[in-house]
Amino acid sequence: MPVKKLKNFLKGKIMSSLKKNWLYILIGILLLLNLVFESPKINACPLSSESYQDLLNRKIEGFLAYDLKNNSIDTRKFSGKSTLYIFFNPSNTYHKEILVYAQVLLNKYKRMGLEIIGVIEKDEEKALRLIEKSRFTFPVINDFKREIHNFFHIERCCGGVVLVGKGRMVKFISNSLLSPENIRQLVEKEVLGRINYEFKEPERRESFKINQLAPRILMRDIENGKVMDFWNFEDEYLIVSFFSNLCSICKSGRRIETLKELDRRLREKGVKAKIILVFSEPYDKEDIENWEKQIKMPFDKYISEDIFTDEEKYITDTSLKVDPLTVVLNRERKVVFVEELLTKEREILELIELKVK
């Protein structure tokens, strides 16, 4: 058969085969793309169990996975470490607070062999934003196939906590997120062999100094997204109350009530003062809107980067905390009042009234 005819014959056969089997070929291509781009890749723990009780006090082989930043995590190499798994929902405000506390524990006990791994099953973009804003240093895995969840028997609704001790021995499993205090006790019993009740006292940093210019902290208006600093305001006095999700007085609404009363008193005296609320990240607009459904906040609201240093954050027997901070600036944006630590709410009113005339 001439070469030209042979080529035409083969070409016809190939085209005919492609037409008959196009569906199978398309499925094959899609499967190949799924293998290439699927993330994270998890080789799940080979050990199977009927319930989480079967896992307790048993050694597991671990797994290989990739975190949200595409870094590989091989827990099979964690034999000499204690690993705390925190299963969380990136959209849950309480879960975010637990993670902030977990980061403090990691900073304190990492040198003693503590590792923390966050695990989610959805909302990867929200988780990435949370990691960036909160500066978490521990990895987070998107377990969208629920291989790790199912292995540890973690249900969907309430998060969970798993502690795997040295030697990859499963020490503890909870099908819901523990309180900060219980997580601390769990970690300290593992790494210290005891529970430590010696807590560091808070310290106020010197960012705001009386009679000196205030630092130019950039803030984003939650209503229009406009970026501002203290110098964009033209009021006689600017009263700035910084809110942290670690501040119990702020979250309870007590500080809001104090500011409402202060605003009423200053208006009666004819003092031109503007009160603004500045929420430190990782607060976002959604968090603030949800909070305002419970507590009315009749002041302009802004979001800034976290201004509170590690020295200002302290561990108690219930949680990681930050004391509230309210400052007063005059027209020249010099500091005329800085709230001291442990100032009572009624004292805040009197002290600010003395400075604002």
Side-chain angles (χ1 to χ4, degrees):
M1 181 182 292
V3 174
K4 187 173 181 179
K5 287 186 177 181
L6 178 61
K7 285 183 177 178
N8 290 336
F9 174 78
L10 292 174
K11 184 178 180 181
K13 284 288 187 182
I14 292 171
M15 292 304 294
S16 175
S17 178
L18 288 174
K19 287 179 181 178
K20 289 180 180 179
N21 299 291
W22 67 269
L23 182 59
Y24 298 105
I25 294 170
L26 179 59
I27 293 172
I29 292 172
L30 291 174
L31 288 172
L32 180 61
L33 288 173
N34 185 58
L35 288 172
V36 172
F37 294 107
E38 181 182 16
S39 178
K41 303 175 181 64
I42 298 175
N43 295 328
C45 316
L47 180 64
S48 61
S49 58
E50 294 297 325
S51 67
Y52 76 87
Q53 287 95 342
D54 294 337
L55 282 173
L56 292 175
N57 300 315
R58 292 182 64 181
K59 183 176 180 178
I60 60 174
E61 292 190 26
F63 57 85
L64 171 66
Y66 289 86
D67 69 7
L68 300 186
K69 297 182 179 179
N70 208 33
N71 299 312
S72 63
I73 304 168
D74 189 350
T75 64
R76 295 169 296 187
K77 298 179 180 178
F78 284 15
S79 290
K81 298 178 181 292
S82 301
T83 307
L84 185 72
Y85 295 87
I86 300 180
F87 296 80
F88 70 97
N89 180 350
S91 300
N92 187 305
T93 300
Y94 176 68
H95 289 194
K96 295 177 188 177
E97 296 173 17
I98 298 295
L99 294 172
V100 171
Y101 190 82
Q103 180 65 57
V104 173
L105 293 174
L106 181 63
N107 294 344
K108 189 172 183 179
Y109 295 120
K110 186 174 179 65
R111 71 181 187 280
M112 302 181 72
L114 176 66
E115 294 288 345
I116 292 178
I117 296 176
V119 185
I120 62 172
E121 61 171 310
K122 60 181 180 179
D123 294 336
E124 181 172 320
E125 290 187 3
K126 283 189 177 181
L128 281 168
R129 288 198 300 272
L130 178 63
I131 292 168
E132 182 179 353
K133 290 194 323 187
S134 304
R135 298 180 177 88
F136 294 147
T137 61
F138 53 84
V140 175
I141 297 170
N142 186 358
D143 183 30
F144 62 91
K145 289 187 175 180
R146 292 188 53 82
E147 291 177 288
I148 304 174
H149 282 76
N150 291 337
F151 175 75
F152 286 117
H153 299 275
I154 302 298
E155 302 296 336
R156 279 185 164 84
C157 68
C158 308
V161 174
V162 174
L163 177 66
V164 178
K166 295 176 181 177
R168 299 198 301 274
M169 192 76 69
V170 179
K171 296 288 192 70
F172 179 87
I173 298 177
S174 170
N175 221 328
S176 61
L177 270 183
L178 304 178
S179 68
E181 168 64 0
N182 286 338
I183 289 179
R184 184 181 68 82
Q185 290 187 18
L186 182 67
V187 166
E188 290 186 342
K189 265 187 127 175
E190 171 67 16
V191 299
L192 298 177
R194 59 182 174 81
I195 300 172
N196 178 24
Y197 281 104
E198 296 175 4
F199 304 117
K200 184 182 74 170
E201 293 297 322
E203 300 174 12
R204 183 75 83 205
R205 68 175 182 172
E206 296 296 320
S207 293
F208 295 91
K209 297 182 180 180
I210 298 294
N211 296 326
Q212 293 193 16
L213 291 174
R216 303 194 75 159
I217 297 172
L218 295 180
M219 307 172 293
R220 186 176 72 256
D221 191 321
I222 71 164
E223 295 300 328
N224 56 33
K226 184 178 179 181
V227 177
M228 309 174 67
D229 67 19
F230 299 139
W231 296 86
N232 293 108
F233 298 91
E234 298 179 352
D235 304 271
E236 191 71 29
Y237 291 98
L238 182 65
I239 300 170
V240 186
S241 195
F242 292 95
F243 277 51
S244 167
N245 61 1
L246 303 177
C247 172
S248 56
I249 291 177
C250 305
K251 288 166 48 177
S252 68
R254 289 166 58 197
R255 177 50 52 97
I256 293 293
E257 293 305 315
T258 299
L259 294 173
K260 287 179 182 177
E261 175 63 19
L262 176 63
D263 186 51
R264 185 188 66 78
R265 292 187 187 185
L266 295 180
R267 287 178 184 275
E268 287 180 353
K269 293 181 177 180
V271 176
K272 295 181 178 179
K274 184 177 184 63
I275 298 176
I276 65 172
L277 309 180
V278 179
F279 295 83
S280 293
E281 293 178 339
Y283 267 119
D284 55 29
K285 184 177 179 180
E286 184 180 354
D287 293 331
I288 298 168
E289 289 173 346
N290 289 336
W291 190 16
E292 195 159 23
K293 291 176 183 177
Q294 306 172 37
I295 304 171
K296 297 299 180 184
M297 298 182 281
F299 307 107
D300 291 345
K301 293 168 279 293
Y302 301 83
I303 297 175
S304 75
E305 66 178 21
D306 190 359
I307 71 157
F308 294 99
T309 64
D310 286 342
E311 286 70 33
E312 292 174 280
K313 299 173 183 177
Y314 57 101
I315 296 177
T316 71
D317 59 348
T318 56
S319 64
L320 176 67
K321 287 189 177 181
V322 167
D323 277 9
L325 173 62
T326 296
V327 300
V328 180
L329 316 177
N330 63 16
R331 181 180 287 278
E332 290 75 36
R333 295 306 171 246
K334 286 187 177 180
V335 180
V336 297
F337 171 81
V338 181
E339 178 180 359
E340 295 183 0
L341 292 170
L342 305 178
T343 305
K344 291 181 170 50
E345 292 300 289
R346 66 175 181 274
E347 294 174 342
I348 288 287
L349 288 170
E350 298 167 359
L351 291 169
I352 292 179
E353 280 189 288
L354 288 173
K355 296 294 182 180
V356 177
K357 300 178 181 178

